[in-house]
Amino acid sequence: MRKNITYCGFIAIIGRPNVGKSTLLNQLIKQKISITSRKPHTTRHEIIGIQSEGIYQAIYIDTPGLCIEEKRTTDRCMNQIAKNSIANSRLIIFIIEGMNWTISDQIVMNNLKNKSLVLLVINKIDYISDKKLLLPYLQLLNQKRHFIDIVPISAKIGTNIDVISGIVHQYLPQSEHYFPKTCIMNHSKQFMASEVIREKLMRSLGAELPYSVTVTIEKFFINERGGLTIHGVIFVESTSHKKIVIGHKGGKIKIIGVAARQNMEVMFGTKIHLELWVQIMSGGRDYKNILPNIEYKNLTL
Ligand SMILES: Nc1nc2c(ncn2[C@@H]2O[C@H](COP(=O)(O)OP(=O)(O)OP(=O)(O)O)[C@@H](O)[C@H]2O)c(=O)[nH]1
Ligand SMILES: [Mg+2]
């Protein structure tokens, strides 16, 4: 019997911080696998989301937002992750936001190779009240480089997500599928749990959150009631940061814990017993603690 022709490939989702890369990935996969917040630099690791639809398998790579300045080691690490994804993917979704092309967008574009197939996505169009203004803007963007297409979307509302999937399918190379149909992401449940806690920290603390905060999972096991017991440790840099995370009479950490537990119960489909600790990181801003899950040996630090 003849085998069906199938298509499969990697697609990097890139853009400056906060444009909505992770929100788009979650919409494409139809499940929340990448954390999002109003704060830039929410994504710190490469997150892979796999969308299998009939003969097509699209493997999307969500990346940390490319930063203009590399003041901190973490900036360099995150930029390196994004640049590696650009280098390793022939097909790229380049996201910009609203109606203003910024210097940061230009820098992201400068990192694209000439031979890359680039789909330009204008996100957050729900903010644009007069949609007629989009047409001249699209014409302007078209002159910047060759794009395989330019698609206005709202990742938050879900506008035009299917259009993106459809275009991506057209450009996937003929190949066997790399992952089983049921596989949708590459990370462990422990990693997902630590990311959910970090998301709630970012969402609940906003601008006052110390940039270097990091989360590790110390325990993760099925308990006697058949649910999951998870112990998470939030590492901060100083006593003052610890106070911010804990909040008055432990109020903040409680809100963070409840939100994280509820999210995990949906994500893992079971009851969760979550315990959180806040600890001061020894040795100050140690990049190995800040970004615990990436390969350092390939990075120039
Ligand atoms: N109004 C509106 N908000 C959006 C849209 N897409 C994303 N957002 C919001 O924009 C913020 C940033 O979204 P993320 O998906 O975390 O952005 P990101 O590009 O992954 O950010 P980094 O990981 O920090 O680089 C969040 O508050 C989202 O809810 C959209 O289409 N419309
Ligand atoms: Mg992100």
Side-chain angles (χ1 to χ4, degrees), residues 18-23 37 41-43 65 123-124 126 154-156:
N18 213 41
V19 286
K21 299 177 292 298
S22 304
T23 309
S37 88
H41 303 301
T42 303
T43 306
N123 191 27
K124 307 195 186 181
D126 49 296
S154 170
K156 193 168 185 173

Side-chain angles (χ1 to χ4, degrees), residues 57-279:
Q57 184 166 79
I59 306 159
Y60 293 98
I61 309 165
D62 183 17
T63 62
L66 269 166
C67 4
I68 307 182
E69 290 183 336
E70 295 186 346
K71 281 192 205 146
R72 295 160 286 223
T73 312
T74 43
D75 297 335
R76 262 185 289 144
C77 287
M78 290 193 293
N79 273 357
Q80 196 60 54
I81 295 171
K83 285 176 186 173
N84 287 349
S85 299
I86 294 172
N88 296 330
S89 316
R90 197 163 155 261
L91 186 51
I92 286 171
I93 295 180
F94 171 23
I95 309 196
I96 57 173
E97 174 189 317
M99 295 269 298
N100 61 330
W101 176 267
T102 67
I103 181 141
S104 310
D105 296 321
Q106 186 62 44
I107 288 168
V108 175
M109 201 177 77
N110 294 347
N111 276 284
L112 302 175
K113 291 181 291 185
N114 283 341
K115 63 177 176 20
S116 298
L117 298 168
V118 182
L119 168 60
L120 183 66
V121 166
I122 308 170
N123 191 27
K124 307 195 186 181
I125 56 157
D126 49 296
Y127 280 138
I128 305 170
S129 44
D130 187 359
K131 301 280 189 290
K132 282 203 292 283
L133 295 172
L134 265 170
L135 195 62
Y137 186 51
L138 292 184
Q139 283 159 353
L140 186 91
L141 293 170
N142 228 340
Q143 289 159 18
K144 296 206 179 278
R145 68 159 276 152
H146 173 70
F147 296 112
I148 57 173
D149 214 328
I150 305 180
V151 185
I153 69 161
S154 170
K156 193 168 185 173
I157 294 170
T159 317
N160 281 347
I161 306 300
D162 291 349
V163 176
I164 296 185
S165 295
I167 295 168
V168 165
H169 288 171
Q170 280 175 40
Y171 286 91
L172 288 177
Q174 199 176 316
S175 159
E176 302 265 296
H177 290 184
Y178 299 153
F179 293 93
K181 220 178 168 165
T182 49
C183 184
I184 60 156
M185 64 180 146
N186 63 332
H187 282 294
S188 65
K189 285 184 173 170
Q190 281 89 333
F191 173 83
M192 296 308 292
S194 70
E195 285 285 271
V196 167
I197 298 165
R198 204 162 59 75
E199 178 184 81
K200 304 314 171 200
L201 277 161
M202 297 194 86
R203 288 188 178 182
S204 153
L205 295 163
E208 35 173 353
L209 178 81
Y211 185 80
S212 55
V213 76
T214 187
V215 178
T216 60
I217 300 298
E218 303 268 293
K219 286 194 179 158
F220 190 105
F221 59 89
I222 299 171
N223 55 40
E224 64 281 2
R225 295 179 300 282
L228 279 172
T229 293
I230 301 173
H231 291 184
V233 183
I234 299 163
F235 285 99
V236 292
E237 270 184 22
S238 61
T239 316
S240 60
H241 290 169
K242 188 171 172 173
K243 276 190 189 150
I244 294 173
V245 173
I246 292 174
H248 182 60
K249 292 186 176 164
K252 272 281 181 229
I253 192 78
K254 187 157 187 215
I255 293 169
I256 291 161
V258 169
R261 177 178 53 73
Q262 287 171 344
N263 193 150
M264 286 178 201
E265 287 183 341
V266 175
M267 189 175 255
F268 301 138
T270 186
K271 278 266 169 217
I272 305 283
H273 175 75
L274 176 66
E275 289 189 32
L276 293 177
W277 285 267
V278 187
Q279 265 182 33

